[in-house]
């Protein structure tokens, strides 16, 4: 099982690096939106109710990371669709590799790509003057990102990514969101994931939001992997 | 001349047919700008409490951004469709026809101009439903002209890339161009709120003038002082990218 997961993950990673046109948007578009938000809306940190932060970039980094990871889901979905279209998926299913390894291999590869995405955005933030305040808790922020990335397996619709993201506190403090976005944000696991990542970046070592983020990410990851396995079983039944 | 106009009309009709025959392909381009504008308004709505917005709410302020984004996406889609035609060999057959290449280009770009009105009209309808003030017929007509003009420029840019790379895999490059051009402006905040680097880019970005031209009717009155730079900017963009596209068309098969 482990060997199959490793091999399939490696294949997914090699494929990803050979198709840079699918990888580039994962960082290019979130970077552009990060630049536009920070460049245009930096003064919003002076609004009453906005938490004290070193700069708007510190606040927005978690949003960019969340967005990038969700777009990674679109990319992973595309890769699976290409495997199905090209007939590789059918050959994979006919092989003696465990079925769960097909999903877990993809998840492991997604985790590795997510680590690169998170590192890129943290480095970008540091270069442009963000202060990463968390120290050791920053690692937990990365852990949240890696777990959340598992949602990629079932993500697939580009505009939906933004709808889900807008209905969360990823971009702006929950207290300053307009209605009905604030109501959705309160129940959106992405809010907790983004806030959990943001805590060590922008505010410092407070454990509660980070643990909330880890829990939300674990729940999303569990649900996503479960749904993927169910979808795989359904596809095999139909075949 | 009439023959050429008929050819342009036929190519435009072909482009528009895709909306009816492959609605799944056109739908994201129509919905995405509206989702962006509504989403950003829900998230950053409170930013409009800053004095520089002049008391205009965020949805009203960003309505024009969505219209131009729709034009950009439509232009990019035109390039992607051309790349698909190149991949499938249909474009080669088109080149073999006795129609002059600028006429072929005019047909393809003309369809982009008309298609760009769809996301703009959809966004305007939704925005009005969400409380944006009716800007008046003159402002809407001017917005339509500018949206069509920007769609033409974006289509020419995407066509240049499609002719150069000859594959649909260049799609992100086509989309990123218009995305950057529209958003590195006064898209989400007035000029005085932009940070130094973004303000400097917005100052030299011609799309800033186009955006202000579309926006003026939503946030105030339509004035000649804001209109002429917008028209001039869009004409310049169409001329520049149009010339590159004509050159690209002329080089095909040589």
């Amino acid at each position: 099982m482990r060997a199959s997961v490793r091999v399939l993950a490696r294949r997914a990673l090699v494929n990803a690096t050979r198709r840079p046109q699918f990888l580039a948007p994962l960082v290019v578009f979130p970077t552009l939106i990060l630049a536009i938000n920070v460049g245009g809306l930096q003064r919003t940190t002076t609004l009453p109710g906005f938490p004290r932060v070193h700069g708007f970039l510190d606040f927005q980094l978690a949003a960019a990371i969340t967005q990038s990871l969700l777009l990674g889901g679109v990319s992973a979905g595309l890769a699976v669709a290409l495997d199905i279209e090209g007939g590789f998926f059918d050959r994979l299913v006919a092989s003696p590799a465990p079925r769960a390894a097909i999903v877990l291999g993809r998840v492991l590869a997604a985790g590795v790509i997510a680590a690169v995405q998170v590192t890129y955005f943290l480095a970008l933030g540091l270069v442009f003057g963000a202060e990463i305040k968390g120290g050791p808790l920053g690692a937990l922020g990365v852990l949240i990102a890696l777990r959340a990335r598992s949602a990629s397996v079932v993500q697939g619709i580009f505009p939906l990514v933004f709808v889900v993201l807008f209905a969360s506190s990823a971009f702006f403090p929950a207290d300053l969101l307009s209605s009905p976005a604030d109501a959705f944000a309160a129940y959106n696991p992405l809010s907790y994931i983004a806030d959990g990542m943001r805590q060590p970046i922008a505010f410092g070592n407070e454990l509660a939001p980070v643990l909330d983020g880890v829990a939300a990410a674990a729940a999303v990851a569990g649900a996503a992997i479960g749904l993927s396995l169910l979808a795989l079983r359904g596809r095999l039944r139909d075949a | 001349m009439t023959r050429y106009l008929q050819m342009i009309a036929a190519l435009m009709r072909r482009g528009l047919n895709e909306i009816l025959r492959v609605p799944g392909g056109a739908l994201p381009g129509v919905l995405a700008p509206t989702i962006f504008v509504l989403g950003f308004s829900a998230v950053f709505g409170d930013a409009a409490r800053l004095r520089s917005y002049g008391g205009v709410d965020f949805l009203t302020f960003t309505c024009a951004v969505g219209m131009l984004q729709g034009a950009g996406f439509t232009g990019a889609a035109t390039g992607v469709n051309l790349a698909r035609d190149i991949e499938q060999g249909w474009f080669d057959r088109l080149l073999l026809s006795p129609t002059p290449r600028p006429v072929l280009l005019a047909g393809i770009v003309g369809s982009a101009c008309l298609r760009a009105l769809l996301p703009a009209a959809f966004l305007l309808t939704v925005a009005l439903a969400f409380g944006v003030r009716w800007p008046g017929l003159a402002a809407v007509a001017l917005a339509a002209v500018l949206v069509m003009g920007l769609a033409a420029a974006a289509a020419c840019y995407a066509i240049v890339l499609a002719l150069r790379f000859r594959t649909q895999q260049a799609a992100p490059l086509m989309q990123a161009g218009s995305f950057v051009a529209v958003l590195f402006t006064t898209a989400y905040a007035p000029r005085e709120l932009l940070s130094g680097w973004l303000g400097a880019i917005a100052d030299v970005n011609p799309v800033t003038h186009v955006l202000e031209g579309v926006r003026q009717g939503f946030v105030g009155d339509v004035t000649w002082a804001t209109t002429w730079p917008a028209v001039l900017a869009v004409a310049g963009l169409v001329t520049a990218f149009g010339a590159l596209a004509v050159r690209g068309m002329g080089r095909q098969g040589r």
Side-chain angles (χ1 to χ4, degrees):
Chain A
M1 172 79 165
R2 271 191 196 170
S4 300
V5 171
R6 250 198 327 268
V7 168
L8 288 170
R10 199 168 147 220
R11 175 188 172 269
L13 286 171
V14 169
N15 261 352
T17 51
R18 285 182 184 166
R19 290 187 186 125
Q21 69 271 27
F22 292 133
L23 274 186
L26 308 192
V27 290
V28 172
F29 282 105
T31 304
L32 289 175
I33 290 181
L34 176 68
I36 291 153
N37 286 350
V38 173
L41 297 163
Q42 56 178 347
R43 299 272 179 87
T44 53
T45 54
T46 61
L47 285 170
F50 203 101
R52 272 176 67 98
V53 284
H54 168 252
F56 198 47
L57 175 61
D58 301 37
F59 192 87
Q60 283 290 304
L61 267 182
I65 292 171
T66 311
Q67 190 189 351
S68 174
L69 297 175
L70 285 173
L71 288 176
V74 178
S75 180
L78 269 175
V80 173
L82 285 173
D83 277 351
I84 293 172
E85 274 180 14
F88 177 79
F89 193 81
D90 289 335
R91 294 203 295 279
L92 197 61
V93 167
S95 76
R99 303 280 152 83
I102 297 172
V103 172
L104 294 178
R106 181 66 64 181
V107 170
L108 181 61
V112 174
I113 295 172
V116 176
Q117 288 169 273
V118 173
T119 308
Y120 163 79
F121 279 105
L122 290 180
L124 189 76
L126 287 170
V127 167
F128 285 96
E131 282 185 5
I132 312 294
K133 299 204 169 169
L137 268 186
L140 269 179
V142 174
L143 173 69
I144 295 172
L146 296 182
R147 296 203 69 115
R149 184 61 172 72
S150 306
S152 69
V153 183
V154 287
Q155 271 288 3
I157 305 167
F158 184 84
L160 193 64
V161 168
F162 285 94
V163 172
V164 175
L165 203 57
F166 286 139
S168 77
S169 58
F171 282 116
F172 221 44
D175 293 343
L176 294 179
L177 294 178
S178 309
S179 183
D182 55 348
F184 286 117
Y187 298 101
N188 187 344
L190 270 189
S191 297
Y192 298 96
I193 293 169
D195 289 343
M197 280 194 278
R198 178 174 294 130
Q199 180 65 35
I201 294 173
F203 302 116
N205 290 332
E206 194 189 323
L207 201 57
V210 178
L211 290 179
D212 287 347
V214 172
V220 169
I225 292 173
L227 284 170
S228 300
L229 288 171
L230 277 177
L232 179 63
R233 193 190 291 175
R235 186 180 158 79
L236 294 176
R237 214 180 17 240
D238 293 344
Chain B
M1 187 66 186
T2 316
R3 249 193 5 245
Y4 292 156
L5 288 176
Q6 281 173 344
M7 189 66 200
I8 290 171
L11 283 167
M12 285 169 69
R13 235 186 355 260
R14 177 178 181 267
L16 294 174
N17 271 346
E18 285 190 346
I19 296 175
L20 298 173
R21 292 179 187 170
V22 198
L27 214 56
V30 174
L31 293 181
T34 303
I35 289 173
F36 266 93
V37 169
L38 290 182
F40 267 88
S41 300
V43 173
F44 295 119
D46 268 20
R49 281 159 52 195
L50 295 169
R51 202 175 299 158
S52 303
Y53 282 86
V56 174
D57 68 273
F58 201 77
L59 179 58
T60 302
F61 190 82
T62 54
C63 205
V65 181
M67 289 179 160
L68 295 190
Q69 265 183 340
F73 288 149
T74 307
T78 304
V80 176
N81 288 348
L82 178 64
R84 181 204 57 203
D85 287 344
I86 292 172
E87 281 177 352
Q88 294 178 352
W90 193 83
F91 187 67
D92 285 337
R93 294 203 292 279
L94 205 60
L95 288 179
L96 286 176
S97 71
T99 315
R101 291 178 180 193
V103 174
L104 296 178
L105 183 68
I108 296 168
V109 173
S111 76
C113 292
L114 289 183
R115 283 176 68 160
L117 292 177
L118 196 62
F122 180 72
L123 172 59
L124 181 62
T125 309
V126 172
L128 292 173
F130 275 82
V132 169
R133 178 183 67 88
W134 169 250
L137 211 56
V140 171
L142 176 65
V145 169
L146 293 173
V147 162
M148 289 169 80
L150 193 73
C156 288
Y157 162 75
I159 286 167
V160 170
L161 293 179
L163 294 173
R164 170 78 181 81
F165 293 105
R166 305 180 70 81
T167 168
Q168 293 181 73
Q169 291 185 352
L173 212 53
M174 300 176 195
Q175 289 154 351
S178 59
F179 192 80
V180 168
V182 172
L183 293 185
F184 280 66
T185 59
T186 50
Y188 294 119
R191 174 65 185 85
E192 54 267 38
L193 288 184
L194 299 184
S195 58
W197 66 269
L198 185 55
I201 294 175
D203 285 344
V204 296
N205 184 353
V207 181
T208 303
H209 296 295
V210 185
L211 176 65
E212 295 298 340
V214 178
R215 177 181 283 155
Q216 58 179 327
F218 289 94
V219 300
D221 296 325
V222 175
T223 63
W224 177 241
T226 311
T227 302
W228 77 259
V231 174
L232 190 67
V234 91
L237 286 169
V238 173
T239 306
F241 286 113
L244 288 174
V246 168
R247 186 164 154 258
M249 288 288 273
R251 286 182 167 183
Q252 292 305 300
R254 285 179 192 157

